[in-house]
Amino acid sequence: EPEVTQTPSHQVTQMGQEVILRCVPISNHLYFYWYRQILGQKVEFLVSFYNNEISEKSEIFDDQFSVERPDGSNFTLKIRSTKLEDSAMYFCASERAGGGRGGYTFGSGTRLTVV
Amino acid sequence: QKEVEQNSGPLSVPEGAIASLNCTYSDRGSQSFFWYRQYSGKSPELIMFIYSNGDKEDGRFTAQLNKASQYVSLLIRDSQPSDSATYLCAVKYNFNKFYFGSGTKLNVKP
């Protein structure tokens, strides 16, 4: 069964450093998402992406965050200057067609630890 | 503010029993309702979704939706120890993004 893959599985970075989290969505999918989950808290929406542009973003997704689809397969989340409170699990997801009632599949996640 | 509320648990049931998980949501414009299972340190795994009032069954799982009461539930029949996990209720808005509840931790005791 096709799956969304994320790398790395765990990243440790120093506060103030830039990090790039990578995702390979399912190949024929067109809509892409990032969510995050701080330990012990809810899964929170960050951003949705379609047709090479952001379609929606949450309040969390400030100027420190950016997303990109640099080639036909990867979908990346960049945090420019990490803060301690960015420590969380980050999940990527994709859908073939947006606007549907169905759910989407999450990747296995990247655990980001900012020290 | 779109809220999705769940009891955090833990909910403990013996093996073979029915586990009942509940969720309420605040926005009447919500369109689709989902149950995800999450094991510790892992990503959410979709169990099932429902968008019409009533019941939807899939194997040992039954989702129930009551839009008038803004209430969604998940029943797990013949609970197994492997069902022990946190169950996340999620609501889809604008046919796009999810709002998640904080999850109910289920313990199934052998």
Side-chain angles (χ1 to χ4, degrees):
Chain A
E1 183 172 332
E3 57 182 32
V4 177
T5 57
Q6 290 185 243
T7 56
S9 58
H10 190 187
Q11 178 145 5
V12 181
T13 188
Q14 292 213 331
M15 189 169 55
Q17 295 297 304
E18 175 183 287
V19 295
I20 297 176
L21 310 183
R22 302 181 190 281
C23 169
V24 179
I26 295 172
S27 63
N28 61 350
H29 284 191
L30 302 175
Y31 292 77
F32 313 110
Y33 306 88
W34 283 101
Y35 286 75
R36 79 171 186 189
Q37 186 177 30
I38 295 171
L39 186 63
Q41 298 189 23
K42 296 182 181 184
V43 177
E44 301 173 289
F45 170 79
L46 291 178
V47 65
S48 58
F49 189 86
Y50 168 70
N51 200 25
N52 285 321
E53 62 182 25
I54 290 173
S55 48
E56 189 168 0
K57 60 183 181 180
S58 72
E59 294 174 351
I60 302 168
F61 195 90
D62 61 21
D63 292 344
Q64 293 299 311
F65 291 87
S66 62
V67 290
E68 194 175 41
R69 190 157 161 79
D71 53 39
S73 59
N74 289 288
F75 178 51
T76 62
L77 174 69
K78 181 192 293 186
I79 309 174
R80 287 189 185 82
S81 178
T82 50
K83 303 187 282 285
L84 295 177
E85 53 264 38
D86 294 327
S87 295
M89 282 287 287
Y90 288 81
F91 298 111
C92 174
S94 68
E95 282 186 298
R96 188 166 65 85
R101 288 186 166 128
Y104 36 74
T105 301
F106 288 91
S108 55
T110 294
R111 180 175 298 281
L112 176 65
T113 303
V114 182
V115 297
Chain B
Q1 183 73 6
K2 296 173 176 53
E3 299 289 342
V4 180
E5 300 291 339
Q6 298 180 255
N7 286 327
S8 60
L11 173 67
S12 291
V13 299
E15 184 175 356
I18 296 175
S20 178
L21 304 162
N22 304 312
C23 170
T24 59
Y25 59 94
S26 63
D27 193 320
R28 288 189 177 274
S30 306
Q31 294 142 340
S32 307
F33 309 87
F34 299 79
W35 286 99
Y36 281 84
R37 177 173 61 198
Q38 187 176 34
Y39 294 109
S40 181
K42 303 296 185 182
S43 62
E45 173 193 3
L46 180 64
I47 297 175
M48 60 190 308
F49 70 95
I50 185 169
Y51 55 83
S52 299
N53 275 329
D55 295 0
K56 179 180 178 183
E57 187 174 316
D58 184 0
R60 296 188 295 115
F61 299 96
T62 298
Q64 300 174 317
L65 173 61
N66 184 325
K67 288 188 175 181
S69 301
Q70 296 174 240
Y71 177 89
V72 194
S73 66
L74 179 71
L75 301 177
I76 306 174
R77 289 180 298 282
D78 188 24
S79 296
Q80 301 298 307
S82 58
D83 294 327
S84 296
T86 297
Y87 288 79
L88 308 179
C89 175
V91 177
K92 205 175 196 184
Y93 292 93
N94 298 326
F95 294 117
N96 190 340
K97 65 184 180 186
F98 286 107
Y99 285 87
F100 281 86
S102 55
T104 298
K105 186 170 184 179
L106 173 66
N107 290 330
V108 180
K109 298 182 176 180

